[in-house]
Amino acid sequence: MTNRRDFLKQGTLVAGAIAAEAAFRKAHGLVPLAPRAPDTPVLDAATRDLMMDALNAAKLAGASYADVRIGRYLQNFVQTREQQITNVVDTESMGAGVRALVDGTWGFAATRTMTKDGVANAAKKAVAVAKATRIGRDKAVELAPAPAFRDVSWKNAYTIDPWTIPIEQKADLLLKANAAAMKATNVKFVFSGLFFRKNERNYADTNGSVITQTIIQSWAPMQITAIAPDQSDFQNRGSVSAPMGRGYEYILSEDLVGNAAKWGEEASQKLKAKPVDVGRYDLVLHPSHLWLTIHESIGHPTELDRANGYEANYAGTSFLAPPDKVLGKLRYGPEFMNIQGDRSQEGGLATIGYDDEGVRPDDFLIVRKGVFNDYQTTREQANWLKWWYDSKGEPTRSHGCSYGDSWSSIQFQRMPNVSLLPGEKEQSFEDLIAATDRGIAIIGDGSFSIDQQRYNAQFGGQVFHEIKGGKIVGMLKDVAYQMRTPDFWNSMDMIGGKKSYQLGGSFFDGKGQPPQINAVSHGSPPARFRNINVINTGRKA
């Protein structure tokens, strides 16, 4: 952009893109961009001083850019089995990580010595690492522009801090839920747990950002096992409660004790379920199941580092490559299919105010009207797609997907919330079943397998209902379906409306080497997929 004419032209294109996006959101009944929790200042002066000490040391050592993260990470797990408490885990970790950019090369170092000398030494080591690894650099790092956020703070949507709830109260809740599940016929084993994370993150960079955030996440996993009287079979009912970016109030809202009897009965009923006949069926997938299919076949393949071959751990790279061959060209699904990446959904596990590069994330369409539209990016990665954003008249900016799972882990691209947006017509799970002549309805996630390009996969589930003539006629077992990613998504012909939309997610999603853990949510309505190959996982050769 070299003159006022160019500025006006570019500004008009950007304004047009924003207006088009606003119209699209209105047409699809979506919430406005960037709903955020209220700011909550908590940064203390000592932490701020340490972050400035680290940045100054990095600059004096030769860094052209540096950022520092000082974090306090807490975990609390309570686990039970039947009427026993089997484990109580409390962990707390605090330290500082410094990332430095020298001659287009990253360096990183971390320390738990929280003194001026401690963080300064870490900053100098980060610069030294960058200089030492410069010889192996293939392309200089260039960061996409990002505004500075000075002295801002943020917290996610929680009202009850789980660390204010006594261990005894947590254990009592689980033991009561276990007892309720054990009342079901043939239920012999019950595992239950309460998992909580609390991250207090402080961030600063040489661009001038100073940010502090508090994030709490909660989960109540449960696994109920029924054993046949003659011990010829056993069946599990798990995946009963989705992890959320909320506090203890979410655990209370799940009514574990009240629902445990129903989940126990479902485990018992699975013993009597009819083994599925192999063949092709129409599948009606509940959001509690569909989130995992979204995660594996859309979430991971649309990570730009996988597509470019810079990441291959945990199920390989991606079939969505190279970017210039698929962006705007590959039909992922039908016209009504829209996949959103965001870090703004209330209750989402990846929801955050600012990422680990100080970027305020945006909401963006990974799949727009069925066509592959965008990847997940950090500031470094956004520049790799500048040609694509220029072609659409959009600014080149990070989508805010930088994340490190600890103060001692270097941040890299991790998954935001990736969700299938609801359709315009208000349809429920039951409506989709009623419209299906011969099919299977699947609730809850189960086992899965996917290839090294995220192209071919197999998914199980928890509860399987046989559909005939628009009605559920019985329960099936040993069901798994096979898919080829684009074929599967293009077979989707019905989708639920806004009222049927639910969040699912993973509390422990791995990526990288050394591995890091990320928590991420995937929302969706129920959806129907036509003529999908179903196998019987219990059939013996």
Side-chain angles (χ1 to χ4, degrees), residues 4-29:
R4 185 172 183 277
R5 186 184 297 276
D6 287 342
F7 172 81
L8 291 174
K9 181 180 178 182
Q10 185 74 7
T12 300
L13 289 171
V14 172
I18 294 172
E21 190 74 8
F24 178 86
R25 290 178 176 281
K26 183 178 180 180
H28 289 76

PDB file of all heavy atoms in Angstrom, residues 4-29:
ATOM      1  N   ARG A   4      -2.659   7.148  -1.037  1.00  0.00           N
ATOM      2  CA  ARG A   4      -4.010   7.248  -0.495  1.00  0.00           C
ATOM      3  C   ARG A   4      -5.013   6.446  -1.324  1.00  0.00           C
ATOM      4  O   ARG A   4      -5.950   5.838  -0.797  1.00  0.00           O
ATOM      5  CB  ARG A   4      -4.414   8.726  -0.437  1.00  0.00           C
ATOM      6  CG  ARG A   4      -5.754   8.962   0.231  1.00  0.00           C
ATOM      7  CD  ARG A   4      -6.011  10.458   0.426  1.00  0.00           C
ATOM      8  NE  ARG A   4      -7.270  10.661   1.126  1.00  0.00           N
ATOM      9  CZ  ARG A   4      -8.447  10.664   0.526  1.00  0.00           C
ATOM     10  NH1 ARG A   4      -8.520  10.492  -0.771  1.00  0.00           N
ATOM     11  NH2 ARG A   4      -9.557  10.865   1.235  1.00  0.00           N
ATOM     12  N   ARG A   5      -4.813   6.423  -2.675  1.00  0.00           N
ATOM     13  CA  ARG A   5      -5.726   5.660  -3.537  1.00  0.00           C
ATOM     14  C   ARG A   5      -5.717   4.171  -3.146  1.00  0.00           C
ATOM     15  O   ARG A   5      -6.754   3.535  -3.027  1.00  0.00           O
ATOM     16  CB  ARG A   5      -5.322   5.833  -4.998  1.00  0.00           C
ATOM     17  CG  ARG A   5      -6.309   5.203  -5.986  1.00  0.00           C
ATOM     18  CD  ARG A   5      -5.773   5.336  -7.394  1.00  0.00           C
ATOM     19  NE  ARG A   5      -5.653   6.744  -7.773  1.00  0.00           N
ATOM     20  CZ  ARG A   5      -6.659   7.451  -8.254  1.00  0.00           C
ATOM     21  NH1 ARG A   5      -7.849   6.906  -8.379  1.00  0.00           N
ATOM     22  NH2 ARG A   5      -6.482   8.709  -8.594  1.00  0.00           N
ATOM     23  N   ASP A   6      -4.487   3.656  -2.937  1.00  0.00           N
ATOM     24  CA  ASP A   6      -4.373   2.252  -2.524  1.00  0.00           C
ATOM     25  C   ASP A   6      -5.026   2.033  -1.173  1.00  0.00           C
ATOM     26  O   ASP A   6      -5.661   1.011  -0.917  1.00  0.00           O
ATOM     27  CB  ASP A   6      -2.891   1.835  -2.442  1.00  0.00           C
ATOM     28  CG  ASP A   6      -2.288   1.695  -3.821  1.00  0.00           C
ATOM     29  OD1 ASP A   6      -3.066   1.583  -4.791  1.00  0.00           O
ATOM     30  OD2 ASP A   6      -1.050   1.708  -3.921  1.00  0.00           O
ATOM     31  N   PHE A   7      -4.822   3.034  -0.279  1.00  0.00           N
ATOM     32  CA  PHE A   7      -5.399   2.914   1.063  1.00  0.00           C
ATOM     33  C   PHE A   7      -6.919   2.823   0.995  1.00  0.00           C
ATOM     34  O   PHE A   7      -7.548   1.970   1.630  1.00  0.00           O
ATOM     35  CB  PHE A   7      -4.976   4.116   1.908  1.00  0.00           C
ATOM     36  CG  PHE A   7      -5.669   4.183   3.240  1.00  0.00           C
ATOM     37  CD1 PHE A   7      -5.226   3.404   4.304  1.00  0.00           C
ATOM     38  CD2 PHE A   7      -6.766   5.002   3.427  1.00  0.00           C
ATOM     39  CE1 PHE A   7      -5.864   3.456   5.537  1.00  0.00           C
ATOM     40  CE2 PHE A   7      -7.406   5.057   4.648  1.00  0.00           C
ATOM     41  CZ  PHE A   7      -6.959   4.292   5.703  1.00  0.00           C
ATOM     42  N   LEU A   8      -7.528   3.718   0.174  1.00  0.00           N
ATOM     43  CA  LEU A   8      -8.980   3.729   0.055  1.00  0.00           C
ATOM     44  C   LEU A   8      -9.484   2.447  -0.580  1.00  0.00           C
ATOM     45  O   LEU A   8     -10.485   1.859  -0.172  1.00  0.00           O
ATOM     46  CB  LEU A   8      -9.424   4.940  -0.776  1.00  0.00           C
ATOM     47  CG  LEU A   8      -9.216   6.302  -0.114  1.00  0.00           C
ATOM     48  CD1 LEU A   8      -9.547   7.413  -1.095  1.00  0.00           C
ATOM     49  CD2 LEU A   8     -10.074   6.424   1.139  1.00  0.00           C
ATOM     50  N   LYS A   9      -8.708   1.953  -1.607  1.00  0.00           N
ATOM     51  CA  LYS A   9      -9.108   0.723  -2.277  1.00  0.00           C
ATOM     52  C   LYS A   9      -9.073  -0.451  -1.307  1.00  0.00           C
ATOM     53  O   LYS A   9     -10.004  -1.232  -1.219  1.00  0.00           O
ATOM     54  CB  LYS A   9      -8.164   0.463  -3.453  1.00  0.00           C
ATOM     55  CG  LYS A   9      -8.498  -0.787  -4.245  1.00  0.00           C
ATOM     56  CD  LYS A   9      -7.493  -0.930  -5.392  1.00  0.00           C
ATOM     57  CE  LYS A   9      -7.795  -2.217  -6.170  1.00  0.00           C
ATOM     58  NZ  LYS A   9      -6.801  -2.398  -7.254  1.00  0.00           N
ATOM     59  N   GLN A  10      -7.957  -0.542  -0.567  1.00  0.00           N
ATOM     60  CA  GLN A  10      -7.818  -1.637   0.384  1.00  0.00           C
ATOM     61  C   GLN A  10      -8.860  -1.537   1.483  1.00  0.00           C
ATOM     62  O   GLN A  10      -9.455  -2.533   1.889  1.00  0.00           O
ATOM     63  CB  GLN A  10      -6.405  -1.606   0.993  1.00  0.00           C
ATOM     64  CG  GLN A  10      -6.089  -2.761   1.902  1.00  0.00           C
ATOM     65  CD  GLN A  10      -5.856  -4.035   1.121  1.00  0.00           C
ATOM     66  OE1 GLN A  10      -5.806  -4.035  -0.093  1.00  0.00           O
ATOM     67  NE2 GLN A  10      -5.745  -5.141   1.836  1.00  0.00           N
ATOM     68  N   GLY A  11      -9.070  -0.280   1.957  1.00  0.00           N
ATOM     69  CA  GLY A  11     -10.056  -0.086   3.018  1.00  0.00           C
ATOM     70  C   GLY A  11     -11.448  -0.483   2.578  1.00  0.00           C
ATOM     71  O   GLY A  11     -12.208  -1.073   3.335  1.00  0.00           O
ATOM     72  N   THR A  12     -11.779  -0.186   1.302  1.00  0.00           N
ATOM     73  CA  THR A  12     -13.094  -0.557   0.791  1.00  0.00           C
ATOM     74  C   THR A  12     -13.261  -2.068   0.743  1.00  0.00           C
ATOM     75  O   THR A  12     -14.293  -2.625   1.108  1.00  0.00           O
ATOM     76  CB  THR A  12     -13.279   0.029  -0.616  1.00  0.00           C
ATOM     77  OG1 THR A  12     -13.165   1.445  -0.525  1.00  0.00           O
ATOM     78  CG2 THR A  12     -14.642  -0.328  -1.186  1.00  0.00           C
ATOM     79  N   LEU A  13     -12.184  -2.765   0.299  1.00  0.00           N
ATOM     80  CA  LEU A  13     -12.240  -4.223   0.233  1.00  0.00           C
ATOM     81  C   LEU A  13     -12.424  -4.831   1.614  1.00  0.00           C
ATOM     82  O   LEU A  13     -13.209  -5.752   1.806  1.00  0.00           O
ATOM     83  CB  LEU A  13     -10.956  -4.766  -0.411  1.00  0.00           C
ATOM     84  CG  LEU A  13     -10.820  -4.487  -1.909  1.00  0.00           C
ATOM     85  CD1 LEU A  13      -9.427  -4.866  -2.386  1.00  0.00           C
ATOM     86  CD2 LEU A  13     -11.868  -5.277  -2.681  1.00  0.00           C
ATOM     87  N   VAL A  14     -11.651  -4.296   2.585  1.00  0.00           N
ATOM     88  CA  VAL A  14     -11.766  -4.827   3.931  1.00  0.00           C
ATOM     89  C   VAL A  14     -13.153  -4.583   4.501  1.00  0.00           C
ATOM     90  O   VAL A  14     -13.779  -5.462   5.089  1.00  0.00           O
ATOM     91  CB  VAL A  14     -10.692  -4.212   4.847  1.00  0.00           C
ATOM     92  CG1 VAL A  14     -10.933  -4.610   6.292  1.00  0.00           C
ATOM     93  CG2 VAL A  14      -9.302  -4.644   4.394  1.00  0.00           C
ATOM     94  N   ALA A  15     -13.651  -3.336   4.273  1.00  0.00           N
ATOM     95  CA  ALA A  15     -14.993  -3.019   4.770  1.00  0.00           C
ATOM     96  C   ALA A  15     -16.029  -3.918   4.123  1.00  0.00           C
ATOM     97  O   ALA A  15     -16.968  -4.392   4.764  1.00  0.00           O
ATOM     98  CB  ALA A  15     -15.314  -1.542   4.480  1.00  0.00           C
ATOM     99  N   GLY A  16     -15.822  -4.215   2.816  1.00  0.00           N
ATOM    100  CA  GLY A  16     -16.743  -5.108   2.132  1.00  0.00           C
ATOM    101  C   GLY A  16     -16.718  -6.494   2.721  1.00  0.00           C
ATOM    102  O   GLY A  16     -17.758  -7.128   2.882  1.00  0.00           O
ATOM    103  N   ALA A  17     -15.488  -6.973   3.047  1.00  0.00           N
ATOM    104  CA  ALA A  17     -15.361  -8.297   3.643  1.00  0.00           C
ATOM    105  C   ALA A  17     -16.052  -8.356   4.992  1.00  0.00           C
ATOM    106  O   ALA A  17     -16.755  -9.314   5.319  1.00  0.00           O
ATOM    107  CB  ALA A  17     -13.885  -8.663   3.800  1.00  0.00           C
ATOM    108  N   ILE A  18     -15.874  -7.285   5.787  1.00  0.00           N
ATOM    109  CA  ILE A  18     -16.512  -7.242   7.100  1.00  0.00           C
ATOM    110  C   ILE A  18     -18.029  -7.216   6.970  1.00  0.00           C
ATOM    111  O   ILE A  18     -18.755  -7.924   7.671  1.00  0.00           O
ATOM    112  CB  ILE A  18     -16.019  -6.007   7.888  1.00  0.00           C
ATOM    113  CG1 ILE A  18     -14.526  -6.176   8.205  1.00  0.00           C
ATOM    114  CG2 ILE A  18     -16.818  -5.809   9.160  1.00  0.00           C
ATOM    115  CD1 ILE A  18     -13.908  -4.945   8.807  1.00  0.00           C
ATOM    116  N   ALA A  19     -18.508  -6.411   5.998  1.00  0.00           N
ATOM    117  CA  ALA A  19     -19.950  -6.335   5.798  1.00  0.00           C
ATOM    118  C   ALA A  19     -20.513  -7.671   5.342  1.00  0.00           C
ATOM    119  O   ALA A  19     -21.574  -8.107   5.785  1.00  0.00           O
ATOM    120  CB  ALA A  19     -20.256  -5.249   4.766  1.00  0.00           C
ATOM    121  N   ALA A  20     -19.770  -8.344   4.431  1.00  0.00           N
ATOM    122  CA  ALA A  20     -20.223  -9.653   3.957  1.00  0.00           C
ATOM    123  C   ALA A  20     -20.259 -10.652   5.099  1.00  0.00           C
ATOM    124  O   ALA A  20     -21.185 -11.460   5.208  1.00  0.00           O
ATOM    125  CB  ALA A  20     -19.282 -10.149   2.853  1.00  0.00           C
ATOM    126  N   GLU A  21     -19.241 -10.585   5.957  1.00  0.00           N
ATOM    127  CA  GLU A  21     -19.197 -11.491   7.104  1.00  0.00           C
ATOM    128  C   GLU A  21     -20.378 -11.234   8.036  1.00  0.00           C
ATOM    129  O   GLU A  21     -21.021 -12.163   8.530  1.00  0.00           O
ATOM    130  CB  GLU A  21     -17.881 -11.282   7.851  1.00  0.00           C
ATOM    131  CG  GLU A  21     -17.617 -12.316   8.915  1.00  0.00           C
ATOM    132  CD  GLU A  21     -17.205 -13.657   8.338  1.00  0.00           C
ATOM    133  OE1 GLU A  21     -16.978 -13.750   7.126  1.00  0.00           O
ATOM    134  OE2 GLU A  21     -17.144 -14.604   9.100  1.00  0.00           O
ATOM    135  N   ALA A  22     -20.664  -9.925   8.255  1.00  0.00           N
ATOM    136  CA  ALA A  22     -21.786  -9.579   9.129  1.00  0.00           C
ATOM    137  C   ALA A  22     -23.103 -10.088   8.551  1.00  0.00           C
ATOM    138  O   ALA A  22     -23.957 -10.616   9.269  1.00  0.00           O
ATOM    139  CB  ALA A  22     -21.829  -8.063   9.326  1.00  0.00           C
ATOM    140  N   ALA A  23     -23.247  -9.958   7.211  1.00  0.00           N
ATOM    141  CA  ALA A  23     -24.470 -10.430   6.563  1.00  0.00           C
ATOM    142  C   ALA A  23     -24.597 -11.938   6.677  1.00  0.00           C
ATOM    143  O   ALA A  23     -25.675 -12.480   6.904  1.00  0.00           O
ATOM    144  CB  ALA A  23     -24.464 -10.006   5.088  1.00  0.00           C
ATOM    145  N   PHE A  24     -23.441 -12.620   6.505  1.00  0.00           N
ATOM    146  CA  PHE A  24     -23.432 -14.086   6.609  1.00  0.00           C
ATOM    147  C   PHE A  24     -23.862 -14.509   8.004  1.00  0.00           C
ATOM    148  O   PHE A  24     -24.682 -15.406   8.177  1.00  0.00           O
ATOM    149  CB  PHE A  24     -22.026 -14.602   6.304  1.00  0.00           C
ATOM    150  CG  PHE A  24     -21.893 -16.090   6.423  1.00  0.00           C
ATOM    151  CD1 PHE A  24     -22.203 -16.918   5.365  1.00  0.00           C
ATOM    152  CD2 PHE A  24     -21.473 -16.666   7.625  1.00  0.00           C
ATOM    153  CE1 PHE A  24     -22.094 -18.287   5.472  1.00  0.00           C
ATOM    154  CE2 PHE A  24     -21.363 -18.038   7.739  1.00  0.00           C
ATOM    155  CZ  PHE A  24     -21.674 -18.844   6.662  1.00  0.00           C
ATOM    156  N   ARG A  25     -23.309 -13.836   9.019  1.00  0.00           N
ATOM    157  CA  ARG A  25     -23.651 -14.189  10.396  1.00  0.00           C
ATOM    158  C   ARG A  25     -25.128 -13.940  10.675  1.00  0.00           C
ATOM    159  O   ARG A  25     -25.791 -14.753  11.327  1.00  0.00           O
ATOM    160  CB  ARG A  25     -22.771 -13.392  11.377  1.00  0.00           C
ATOM    161  CG  ARG A  25     -21.349 -13.861  11.336  1.00  0.00           C
ATOM    162  CD  ARG A  25     -20.441 -13.076  12.255  1.00  0.00           C
ATOM    163  NE  ARG A  25     -19.129 -13.666  12.205  1.00  0.00           N
ATOM    164  CZ  ARG A  25     -18.788 -14.773  12.854  1.00  0.00           C
ATOM    165  NH1 ARG A  25     -19.656 -15.364  13.627  1.00  0.00           N
ATOM    166  NH2 ARG A  25     -17.583 -15.291  12.732  1.00  0.00           N
ATOM    167  N   LYS A  26     -25.626 -12.831  10.177  1.00  0.00           N
ATOM    168  CA  LYS A  26     -27.040 -12.523  10.393  1.00  0.00           C
ATOM    169  C   LYS A  26     -27.912 -13.580   9.733  1.00  0.00           C
ATOM    170  O   LYS A  26     -28.895 -14.047  10.306  1.00  0.00           O
ATOM    171  CB  LYS A  26     -27.354 -11.126   9.839  1.00  0.00           C
ATOM    172  CG  LYS A  26     -28.787 -10.689  10.092  1.00  0.00           C
ATOM    173  CD  LYS A  26     -29.013  -9.276   9.565  1.00  0.00           C
ATOM    174  CE  LYS A  26     -30.444  -8.849   9.830  1.00  0.00           C
ATOM    175  NZ  LYS A  26     -30.696  -7.485   9.329  1.00  0.00           N
ATOM    176  N   ALA A  27     -27.529 -13.982   8.500  1.00  0.00           N
ATOM    177  CA  ALA A  27     -28.324 -14.965   7.766  1.00  0.00           C
ATOM    178  C   ALA A  27     -28.364 -16.304   8.473  1.00  0.00           C
ATOM    179  O   ALA A  27     -29.326 -17.053   8.377  1.00  0.00           O
ATOM    180  CB  ALA A  27     -27.775 -15.132   6.361  1.00  0.00           C
ATOM    181  N   HIS A  28     -27.273 -16.615   9.183  1.00  0.00           N
ATOM    182  CA  HIS A  28     -27.188 -17.911   9.846  1.00  0.00           C
ATOM    183  C   HIS A  28     -27.489 -17.840  11.336  1.00  0.00           C
ATOM    184  O   HIS A  28     -27.264 -18.801  12.064  1.00  0.00           O
ATOM    185  CB  HIS A  28     -25.795 -18.513   9.621  1.00  0.00           C
ATOM    186  CG  HIS A  28     -25.571 -18.961   8.209  1.00  0.00           C
ATOM    187  ND1 HIS A  28     -25.326 -18.077   7.185  1.00  0.00           N
ATOM    188  CD2 HIS A  28     -25.616 -20.206   7.639  1.00  0.00           C
ATOM    189  CE1 HIS A  28     -25.190 -18.751   6.045  1.00  0.00           C
ATOM    190  NE2 HIS A  28     -25.360 -20.028   6.287  1.00  0.00           N
ATOM    191  N   GLY A  29     -27.934 -16.682  11.779  1.00  0.00           N
ATOM    192  CA  GLY A  29     -28.334 -16.561  13.174  1.00  0.00           C
ATOM    193  C   GLY A  29     -27.185 -16.677  14.143  1.00  0.00           C
ATOM    194  O   GLY A  29     -27.356 -17.139  15.273  1.00  0.00           O
TER     195      GLY A  29
END
